[in-house]
Amino acid sequence: MKKWFLLTAAFMIYASCFSQKKPLDHTVYDAWQSIGERKISNNGQWFVYSINPQEGDNELVIQSSNAAYRQVIPRGYDAVITDDSRFVVFKIKPAYQQLREAKIKKKKPAEFPQDSLAIVELGKTGIWKKAMLKSFQVPEKGNNWVAFMVKSPEGIRTKNHTVDSARHQMVTDSLLHIIDSLRQQLTSVEKKPGKKGRDGFDADEGNGNEKDAEESGELVVRNMVNGKEVIFNHVLEYRFSKNGAKLVMETAADPKDSLSRRMVLRYDPTLNWTDTLSRGGNDFRDFALTDDGSRIAYVAERDAAPKALQKFYRIWYFEPGMDSAVLLADKNSVGMEVGMTVSEFGQLHFSKNGRRLFFGVAPVLPPKDTSLVDIDLVKLDIWHYKDDYLQTVQLKRLQQDLKKNYLAVYDLVSNRIHQLGSEELPQVIETGEGNGLTFIGVTDFGKRIESQWTGTTKKDIYAIDVNSGIKKLVVKNLDGLVYPSSTGKFILWYDRKLKNYFTWDGNAIKNISAKIKVPLYDEENDVPDDPYPYGVMGWLQDDSAVFVYDRYNIWQIDPTGKENPFLLTDGRKSKLVYRYLKLDPDEHFIPSGANLLLKTFNEINKNAGLAQWLSAAPHGNVKTIFTEAVAIGSVQRAKNFPALLITKESYTRSPDLYTNILPGTNLAAADPGSISLQCTQQLTRLNPQQQDYNWGTAELFTWKAYNGKNSTGIVYKPEDFNPRKKYPMICYFYEKLSDGLHQYIPPAPTPSRLNISFFVSRGYVVFAPDIHYGTGHPGRDAYNYIVSGARALVKKGFVDSTRIGIQGQSWGGYQVAFLVTATNLFKAAWAGAPVANMTSAYGGIRWGSGLNRQFQYERTQSRIGATLWEKPQLYLENSPLFHLQKVKTPLVIMSNDNDGAVPWYQGIELFTAMRRLGKKVWLLDYNGEDHNLVERKNRKDIQIREQQFFDWLLKDAKPAKWISQGVPAVKKGKDWGLELEE
């Protein structure tokens, strides 16, 4: 008896402690923090990351990995650590309140407060700043330079900090402008057509315009070591070479100088020397440089009159030894196909070795007919059954299609042009970073109509000889995925029908995965379509092997098919998933003999961790580094040292940064082999205020569904949970969610999903069941798992069976609408963007993409697996609209008038039918909003309404006026109906 008394007293004290914690409310959102950007220096000694509130001013943190140095900069963001790990360059944004005030006052963008540039030398406390920033660049491999553009003070020329050859060269150029101008005045007014200036363009090319003056700025090139700067005025565009040795820029004509012209300059920051590549022209764009900056190319239009109806672009090219850039290619060049021209929208770039220049070509478009008057034009869309795509898709992609271009290559060794892509072969995949001998062509030309009901298209795959442009058909009508090898020796693809990987080596096609007896495709595929593969991890050096995934493991496969596949990991028995962490963005293949860092995930307990595949061991083996009851987010590794920066989180622990570098470690003297990959040092401790609130717990729950199959879900309970109490419960679902057991769910105004942490804190149990689907009966499948799971929880004794609600969005919203027609278990229901009528939704449009919805019902998420005319009974069975007479559960619908995924009229059909049947129903239409709410003010609003609705029905709270009375249109914008009834 005494023992029982002591235990009871202890429990009461424990419960009393928890009862003192506050429930979350709607005021907590803005200050809740998260990790934003994060960077690690190449030498592993420095971390840079931002801590962001949901609303307000963030902080940028710069700290040493050994915890000896830490500096916090308010509002810093977009940070870059220099290649030599010496400086961090970043922006500082204006205060949140300043930007808010500018929006309230409806100021023009040019009148808004501007960013500043900041530079910190790592390990030192000083901060160098520059106001009125427009943009900045740091060379990827260069060490000392930063180039940044600032807004030029009106009518003021900024004085140079140094007397430099750049300004000298610009003065020289100005003198040449004057000479050209005087020469023009002395010659005849009627200049002979075709007369060119000294660098190949019309000598009387016009001046710049006011728009250029507005867009241009002052470009400053700063040496971060000694602080010296060189300044260029009226710069429109600029770009560093990868190694920082050269900087190319476009300058606008000075609107106050009638003799000045647009120019392209090349600047060498080391020699402090500027060279003029081109002078005069209308538009320069798409600057491309080789890694060392020795070769430069750009696209330019230099000849047309300002209001010309037809303009043609050309490629200009510069290399060492040239006086200025020369014309390299245009529509008249040998090798250009008739009717094609250089596209201004192509992605101009060099191959890795600099011997090839890739550019885009497009058909010559006819000039616009100016004889047509706009008020007389018929506004008409013509839908034709032979069109590749529906008019809705065409109109959605109109601007993209107007910029469509096809890959061509200029061989700088042989001086030949080959057009590699075309309308019939629109996609060309480069290999070997542009150095490969064989590229891959992919086309669905002539096969696109069926995408209306399949969602995908079959592809023909071609091998393209880059040196000759000759194309060879390799695979026809592939339903699958294509992967280039790192060098281009092989073309690899996965065939979804045959469920295997195949290679082509230039001669023959080989099935290279047939000897693997476990599925390499999605084992849990539950849509009426062929499954996709788990994917390709990467290629071994020199294409000697390729690595692919199954559900759990990594396989090494010989692309020639001669050697048997080799299993690198062994996770199937323990249901442990291994996935490679590609931590070097420049990695194009996996070096031979490399130790591979792997991320692990346990399907049973949902724990995550890191492991390492050790190549030096006989046949390799896997060493576990750590595994914890956490979810692992971003993982970064220093380029030159095994220092890691990762995020770990759980439902009770906010995502925080961790590292494997312990305090006091001297990385400069440390042996890389002695550095553990166990990430134990915690760098951040976000959201300490969480301890003041009644939070919650997350645990797995298993039960047997009505179809006899075992299933899993997550049960979220309040932190002060008492198993003897009866709690109201909300079911939230979307396909399968149990893998997210350890994910942190911050209290936030969400776009659409249930704010789980908020409701749990306020005394609700939340249940998130996994749903497994078959074909043809998605509504029944949802019932089998959701209702069976809810009732299984009721049997545990802590859920009040008379106070259960459901909430879902999109596909989840559809299931909410269906379930209230199939059961009276739920006392309150909330459906966001639901489909009510599959017969009308089947032929509808997803306005966000323009796509027809047929493929969704036949092949993907809706899982009917047949057309409306093949199995109309399934469409009727699964449509809530035809069963609404059974509904007894009050239902709130969110259906927005700018929804790009589910047609708005689906919510209207559901609402008007229930209203006619006398059911309790409300519809929320956030004007102009999409499928998921975008604007934060709307997100906050819906969280309040959702709480009021569930509290009313599940906690007997007083209803808000919008619930009991509604809000008439005449009160819109004046009365939101959020006040509770007296």
Side-chain angles (χ1 to χ4, degrees):
M1 184 70 177
K2 183 178 180 181
K3 184 177 181 180
W4 178 88
F5 176 79
L6 291 173
L7 287 173
T8 304
F11 177 80
M12 292 177 66
I13 294 171
Y14 180 76
S16 175
C17 291
F18 278 124
S19 66
Q20 295 173 9
K21 291 191 173 184
K22 301 175 291 186
L24 292 166
D25 59 54
H26 300 293
T27 66
V28 306
Y29 301 142
D30 292 351
W32 221 268
Q33 297 172 326
S34 63
I35 300 292
E37 61 187 275
R38 65 215 68 175
K39 303 280 171 55
I40 183 170
S41 62
N42 287 341
N43 64 5
Q45 296 186 25
W46 305 100
F47 301 135
V48 178
Y49 56 90
S50 65
I51 299 176
N52 301 336
Q54 290 184 25
E55 188 171 295
D57 293 322
N58 74 300
E59 294 179 338
L60 187 74
V61 180
I62 305 171
Q63 72 180 74
S64 59
S65 56
N66 64 7
Y69 168 94
R70 190 173 190 269
Q71 185 170 187
V72 179
I73 297 95
R75 306 186 311 280
Y77 77 108
D78 200 12
V80 177
I81 304 176
T82 56
D83 185 56
D84 62 354
S85 305
R86 184 171 177 180
F87 297 94
V88 58
V89 186
F90 55 96
K91 299 175 185 176
I92 298 178
K93 67 182 69 172
Y96 170 82
Q97 198 58 40
Q98 287 182 296
L99 294 172
R100 176 177 166 80
E101 289 296 327
K103 291 177 182 177
I104 291 172
K105 294 178 180 178
K106 298 182 179 180
K107 290 187 175 183
K108 298 178 181 179
E111 298 172 338
F112 267 56
Q114 303 294 311
D115 285 350
S116 296
L117 181 72
I119 302 175
V120 170
E121 186 169 0
L122 293 167
K124 298 184 179 181
T125 57
I127 304 176
W128 180 90
K129 297 180 182 179
K130 182 72 173 181
M132 305 298 288
L133 180 71
K134 293 171 74 75
S135 64
F136 81 90
Q137 289 183 26
V138 175
E140 188 176 335
K141 301 297 182 183
N143 295 332
N144 301 328
W145 306 104
V146 59
F148 57 92
M149 191 186 297
V150 294
K151 189 174 180 180
S152 299
E154 187 67 22
I156 299 176
R157 288 258 185 171
T158 305
K159 185 179 179 181
N160 268 333
H161 290 269
T162 59
V163 178
D164 59 272
S165 57
R167 180 57 54 84
H168 172 76
Q169 179 66 30
M170 293 178 75
V171 171
T172 303
D173 291 333
S174 297
L175 290 174
L176 288 171
H177 297 161
I178 295 172
I179 294 171
D180 286 342
S181 179
L182 291 172
R183 183 183 297 117
Q184 292 168 30
Q185 294 176 38
L186 292 172
T187 56
S188 172
V189 175
E190 295 184 3
K191 191 180 66 155
K192 295 180 180 179
K195 184 177 181 181
K196 303 294 180 181
R198 71 184 189 113
D199 55 353
F201 62 92
D202 287 345
D204 62 347
E205 192 59 59
N207 188 16
N209 57 39
E210 294 297 330
K211 183 179 178 181
D212 284 347
E214 292 177 5
E215 294 177 353
S216 67
E218 207 173 63
L219 182 68
V220 182
V221 184
R222 180 180 176 86
N223 185 312
M224 290 183 283
V225 175
N226 59 28
K228 291 184 178 181
E229 294 181 345
V230 177
I231 299 174
F232 299 88
N233 290 302
H234 308 299
V235 174
L236 289 163
E237 186 179 352
Y238 62 102
R239 184 175 177 182
F240 265 120
S241 62
K242 191 171 184 178
N243 68 351
K246 299 292 186 293
L247 178 70
V248 62
M249 72 192 78
E250 174 190 7
T251 62
D254 187 342
K256 298 180 180 180
D257 182 357
S258 61
L259 299 179
S260 72
R261 298 177 181 177
R262 191 177 295 224
M263 294 190 294
V264 176
L265 306 177
R266 180 185 66 143
Y267 176 62
D268 186 322
T270 302
L271 300 177
N272 195 22
W273 175 255
T274 306
D275 192 15
T276 303
L277 303 187
S278 292
R279 182 185 297 105
N282 300 318
D283 186 18
F284 295 88
R285 58 175 65 190
D286 210 13
F287 293 109
L289 297 87
T290 52
D291 286 355
D292 63 0
S294 61
R295 298 182 178 189
I296 300 171
Y298 43 91
V299 174
E301 190 283 297
R302 307 181 66 184
D303 303 315
K307 295 183 180 180
L309 299 177
Q310 201 172 29
K311 298 181 179 181
F312 295 102
Y313 283 78
R314 299 170 175 175
I315 297 175
W316 296 81
Y317 172 74
F318 175 87
E319 65 179 33
M322 291 182 176
D323 178 62
S324 59
V326 298
L327 175 64
L328 189 71
D330 65 6
K331 64 185 180 67
N332 299 314
S333 297
V334 175
M336 289 287 288
E337 294 186 7
V338 177
M340 305 296 284
T341 186
V342 173
S343 172
E344 68 268 39
F345 303 112
Q347 294 184 340
L348 196 68
H349 62 283
F350 287 94
S351 59
K352 183 69 175 178
N353 60 18
R355 297 175 184 174
R356 294 171 176 165
L357 178 65
F358 298 98
F359 61 100
V361 295
V364 175
L365 297 178
K368 182 180 178 180
D369 188 349
T370 57
S371 65
L372 300 174
V373 181
D374 187 63
I375 61 172
D376 293 336
L377 294 179
V378 176
K379 301 295 193 281
L380 172 68
D381 299 327
I382 299 177
W383 297 47
H384 196 283
Y385 71 97
K386 290 184 179 180
D387 285 348
D388 278 353
Y389 300 107
L390 293 174
Q391 276 287 314
T392 48
V393 177
Q394 295 181 49
L395 292 170
K396 193 70 182 179
R397 300 179 183 178
L398 180 59
Q399 293 305 313
Q400 176 183 332
D401 288 345
L402 289 173
K403 298 177 182 179
K404 186 181 294 183
N405 58 89
Y406 311 104
L407 188 67
V409 60
Y410 191 105
D411 190 313
L412 295 167
V413 177
S414 64
N415 292 318
R416 293 179 180 177
I417 294 175
H418 295 296
Q419 185 176 325
L420 307 180
S422 63
E423 182 182 3
E424 293 78 17
L425 192 63
Q427 182 184 4
V428 177
I429 302 172
E430 298 176 29
T431 62
E433 298 181 78
N435 296 339
L437 297 178
T438 303
F439 287 4
I440 303 171
V442 181
T443 180
D444 59 0
F445 186 79
K447 312 172 194 288
R448 295 166 182 159
I449 293 177
E450 67 176 19
S451 66
Q452 175 183 322
W453 54 89
T454 63
T456 60
T457 55
K458 293 182 175 64
K459 309 292 195 302
D460 294 340
I461 311 302
Y462 287 83
I464 305 174
D465 185 315
V466 186
N467 290 329
S468 66
I470 296 174
K471 304 167 181 65
K472 180 178 181 180
L473 180 64
V474 177
V475 189
K476 192 171 182 63
N477 291 326
L478 173 68
D479 181 4
L481 303 171
V482 182
Y483 309 88
S485 67
S486 63
T487 68
K489 291 180 184 178
F490 299 93
I491 298 177
L492 170 71
W493 66 91
Y494 179 85
D495 190 310
R496 293 173 65 204
K497 293 289 184 187
L498 300 178
K499 296 181 172 61
N500 271 290
Y501 287 95
F502 297 82
T503 57
W504 180 79
D505 61 1
N507 297 303
I509 295 175
K510 296 178 182 177
N511 185 331
I512 62 170
S513 61
K515 294 180 181 179
I516 298 176
K517 301 307 178 185
V518 297
L520 299 177
Y521 53 84
D522 183 2
E523 296 181 26
E524 298 182 297
N525 179 63
D526 61 2
V527 298
D529 198 5
D530 293 313
Y532 281 92
Y534 287 101
V536 173
M537 185 181 99
W539 286 83
L540 194 60
Q541 191 170 356
D542 297 325
D543 291 347
S544 55
V546 63
F547 301 97
V548 303
Y549 296 120
D550 69 17
R551 180 174 178 177
Y552 300 101
N553 292 313
I554 303 170
W555 292 85
Q556 180 175 314
I557 305 178
D558 176 11
T560 68
K562 297 177 182 178
E563 302 292 333
N564 289 331
F566 174 71
L567 187 64
L568 269 66
T569 57
D570 186 17
R572 185 166 287 272
K573 290 181 181 178
S574 57
K575 296 189 181 299
L576 190 64
V577 179
Y578 290 96
R579 292 297 183 258
Y580 174 57
L581 285 167
K582 181 182 175 181
L583 302 178
D584 183 357
D586 292 330
E587 177 186 287
H588 297 283
F589 57 82
I590 297 169
S592 299
N595 294 330
L596 309 182
L597 190 63
L598 310 175
K599 191 174 182 179
T600 65
F601 178 77
N602 189 307
E603 284 190 347
I604 298 173
N605 59 24
K606 315 302 181 183
N607 291 356
L610 295 180
Q612 193 171 31
W613 188 80
L614 305 172
S615 61
H619 302 295
N621 63 25
V622 175
K623 176 185 176 183
T624 298
I625 298 170
F626 72 86
T627 181
E628 298 176 19
V630 298
I632 293 177
S634 169
V635 180
Q636 295 184 14
R637 183 189 188 279
K639 188 171 185 179
N640 303 324
F641 201 84
L644 298 177
L645 182 64
I646 75 171
T647 57
K648 293 191 288 187
E649 65 185 277
S650 70
Y651 178 71
T652 59
R653 292 162 50 193
S654 181
D656 275 306
L657 286 172
Y658 294 78
T659 182
N660 59 325
I661 306 303
L662 300 178
T665 302
N666 182 359
L667 292 190
D671 176 11
S674 68
I675 299 295
S676 167
L677 297 179
Q678 179 80 31
C679 293
T680 56
Q681 184 191 170
Q682 186 172 349
L683 300 175
T684 62
R685 297 184 185 276
L686 269 57
N687 301 311
Q689 75 277 17
Q690 179 180 311
Q691 64 184 354
D692 299 329
Y693 292 94
N694 182 36
W695 196 249
T697 61
E699 59 190 59
L700 292 177
F701 176 69
T702 58
W703 75 98
K704 185 164 287 188
Y706 290 148
N707 57 11
K709 295 183 178 180
N710 293 325
S711 191
T712 303
I714 306 174
V715 178
Y716 298 93
K717 300 175 183 176
E719 187 177 346
D720 59 357
F721 176 76
N722 181 349
R724 295 184 178 87
K725 285 181 60 176
K726 294 282 188 180
Y727 289 87
M729 182 172 77
I730 302 175
C731 297
Y732 171 77
F733 36 82
Y734 195 95
E735 307 231 351
K736 300 179 181 72
L737 297 173
S738 65
D739 282 355
L741 173 68
H742 298 307
Q743 288 180 350
Y744 185 76
I745 305 176
T750 71
S752 56
R753 66 170 288 168
L754 188 75
N755 193 342
I756 292 176
S757 297
F758 179 86
F759 281 98
V760 171
S761 176
R762 300 185 71 85
Y764 287 88
V765 169
V766 174
F767 176 46
D770 285 352
I771 306 168
H772 300 266
Y773 298 92
T775 298
H777 307 281
R780 185 180 69 190
D781 293 336
Y783 177 91
N784 284 342
Y785 286 91
I786 297 167
V787 176
S788 66
R791 286 180 171 152
L793 271 176
V794 168
K795 290 179 181 179
K796 293 295 181 179
F798 55 82
V799 173
D800 187 339
S801 63
T802 67
R803 298 175 185 273
I804 302 177
I806 49 173
Q807 195 268 5
Q809 166 72 14
S810 190
W811 180 239
Y814 153 72
Q815 292 171 321
V816 168
F818 180 89
L819 287 173
V820 296
T821 71
T823 179
N824 294 324
L825 174 65
F826 304 105
K827 192 177 181 181
W830 187 289
V835 165
N837 181 358
M838 287 192 174
T839 66
S840 60
Y842 174 77
I845 296 295
R846 297 178 66 96
W847 295 105
S849 60
L851 296 174
N852 183 255
R853 296 173 56 84
Q854 290 177 353
F855 75 92
Q856 179 178 329
Y857 291 88
E858 297 177 35
R859 306 285 288 271
T860 63
Q861 189 175 57
S862 297
R863 297 175 169 90
I864 299 299
T867 67
L868 178 59
W869 43 92
E870 288 171 335
K871 295 187 177 180
Q873 71 280 6
L874 291 181
Y875 286 83
L876 297 176
E877 171 197 319
N878 290 284
S879 296
L881 185 71
F882 302 107
H883 313 289
L884 293 178
Q885 68 277 9
K886 304 174 186 177
V887 175
K888 293 184 179 179
T889 306
L891 174 67
V892 174
I893 305 160
M894 184 196 78
S895 188
N896 301 323
D897 51 26
N898 196 34
D899 192 322
V902 174
W904 180 38
Y905 57 74
Q906 287 294 310
I908 295 174
E909 285 192 56
L910 182 57
F911 175 82
T912 54
M914 289 188 67
R915 182 174 185 259
R916 177 171 179 172
L917 291 167
K919 310 299 182 181
K920 292 182 178 179
V921 62
W922 301 258
L923 189 148
L924 305 179
D925 168 22
Y926 288 91
N927 300 166
E929 274 282 17
D930 208 332
H931 186 62
N932 295 296
L933 297 177
V934 175
E935 294 194 41
R936 187 171 175 83
K937 62 184 179 183
N938 294 333
R939 294 181 180 187
K940 287 183 175 181
D941 181 85
I942 202 171
Q943 303 304 317
I944 296 171
R945 297 184 193 277
E946 205 164 60
Q947 181 208 342
Q948 291 176 336
F949 177 72
F950 283 121
D951 281 358
W952 169 52
L953 290 171
L954 303 184
K955 284 188 171 184
D956 296 328
K958 293 179 181 179
K961 289 183 180 179
W962 72 269
I963 296 174
S964 59
Q965 303 173 23
V967 179
V970 293
K971 293 185 178 181
K972 181 178 178 180
K974 303 171 185 176
D975 182 356
W976 282 265
L978 294 174
E979 299 83 2
L980 300 181
E981 280 192 340
E982 295 296 333

